[in-house]
Amino acid sequence: VLRLADSLRMTKLGEVDPPATYDLPTKMKPLIGITVNAKEDPADKSGGKLWLNWNYAEVIAASGGIPILIPPQADMAELAQVLDGWLIPGGHDIDASHFGEENHSTVDPIEEERFQAESKLYQTLPSETPVLGICYGCQFINVQRGGKLIQHIPDHVGTEHEGGAPQQYRLKSGSKLQEIVGSEVARGKSYHHQAVGALGQGLTVVAEHEDGMVEAVEATDRPWMVGVQWHPERTFSDPESKNLFDAFIAAAKDYAAKKTTVAAR
């Protein structure tokens, strides 16, 4: 902002020719929105609670972004124009009514306050905005695009996906995720009892567990939208996890630069 203001001042004084565009300073950090868990409670003196696991914001900051925590009270349409990227963190289960089914007996629904707020942000977010969904975030992307979920993995396969045990995932050759990771296999830790079922519109499967469960998806109609079922923020020291966040922040920084250049024309 200071660089742009100084350039405008010098142009007015006739000291320099007016530039055709104004580029984002190379050191400016992108603003990454992280939607938080939320529960309104009018009976409590606090009015309710907002919360988020520490490591989501930590890995964004460590990767070169500025984490912006987003509560459901925020104006999502305004935020959509400001954000350079959106991290959709993990959470509880999506109510099956959002994809036309009855809830399984094991479903522990996400707070409706959070789901509705995220739905508004998703609907107003420019398609060029980089989006990274983790666990619930991956499932959220699928449901928003008309897909369905497997509501309880143990009903379909015998593999344990909830306990956080180290796992390996086969990556689709030529996919964005495979290029980011740099190999045909990714490692991670999963903590989910649900999974992507019928794929939403414009999504493709880019990672699978050996038992056939979908572990990552990408949007084919957006420049950068990736959802992973595992929790890379909990294994940030692993190269695969660090590469994923580095790529996300790099995409957000590129998008921020493009927005600034266009706005200055």
Side-chain angles (χ1 to χ4, degrees):
V1 173
L2 292 176
R3 180 180 296 180
L4 175 58
D6 188 56
S7 181
L8 288 172
R9 180 188 61 79
M10 293 176 69
T11 299
K12 186 175 180 180
L13 294 174
E15 297 176 24
V16 297
D17 293 330
T21 61
Y22 298 96
D23 295 326
L24 188 74
T26 56
K27 292 184 180 180
M28 186 173 288
K29 296 181 178 181
L31 303 178
I32 307 299
I34 310 176
T35 35
V36 303
N37 295 295
K39 184 63 180 176
E40 185 178 12
D41 185 2
D44 188 271
K45 62 183 179 181
S46 68
K49 300 292 182 184
L50 304 171
W51 68 99
L52 177 76
N53 287 348
W54 179 275
N55 44 15
Y56 289 112
E58 185 173 46
V59 296
I60 292 300
S63 302
I66 299 176
I68 306 295
L69 306 193
I70 303 175
Q73 299 96 327
D75 187 323
M76 298 302 167
E78 290 286 341
L79 267 175
Q81 304 308 312
V82 174
L83 297 177
D84 302 319
W86 179 20
L87 171 61
I88 313 173
H92 290 168
D93 305 324
I94 295 175
D95 193 302
S97 64
H98 293 299
F99 49 92
E101 296 181 6
E102 297 284 336
N103 279 332
H104 189 279
S105 60
T106 60
V107 166
D108 181 13
I110 193 81
E111 301 77 26
E112 195 65 13
E113 294 91 336
R114 174 179 168 184
F115 182 85
Q116 292 300 331
E118 288 174 325
S119 297
K120 291 178 183 177
L121 181 55
Y122 186 91
Q123 292 159 12
T124 57
L125 199 72
S127 61
E128 297 85 1
T129 310
V131 177
L132 174 60
I134 294 176
C135 197
Y136 157 92
C138 176
Q139 298 166 10
F140 174 85
I141 291 171
N142 190 55
V143 171
Q144 287 294 311
R145 286 173 163 255
K148 296 180 179 291
L149 302 181
I150 293 173
Q151 293 197 49
H152 193 52
I153 293 174
D155 289 349
H156 298 263
V157 298
T159 311
E160 172 63 60
H161 286 264
E162 288 189 79
Q167 295 181 333
Q168 291 190 343
Y169 315 109
R170 298 187 301 269
L171 303 182
K172 180 180 179 181
S173 180
S175 66
K176 185 182 299 295
L177 185 59
Q178 190 270 326
E179 292 175 359
I180 290 170
V181 171
S183 70
E184 298 297 325
V185 177
R187 298 173 298 161
K189 294 182 178 181
S190 290
Y191 299 82
H192 60 102
H193 80 106
Q194 298 195 318
V196 169
L199 272 183
Q201 185 176 5
L203 294 179
T204 185
V205 175
V206 294
E208 291 182 331
H209 188 269
E210 62 182 7
D211 63 11
M213 287 292 105
V214 174
E215 289 290 344
V217 297
E218 290 176 10
T220 59
D221 55 359
R222 295 200 181 197
W224 215 103
M225 177 175 280
V226 177
V228 298
Q229 279 285 178
W230 64 92
H231 280 265
E233 83 284 359
R234 299 181 184 179
T235 56
F236 188 59
S237 60
D238 290 346
E240 296 98 327
S241 298
K242 190 175 187 307
N243 288 349
L244 178 57
F245 287 109
D246 285 347
F248 175 51
I249 296 302
K253 190 170 185 179
D254 288 345
Y255 174 55
K258 290 177 183 177
K259 286 194 299 181
T260 301
T261 299
V262 170
R265 287 176 179 170

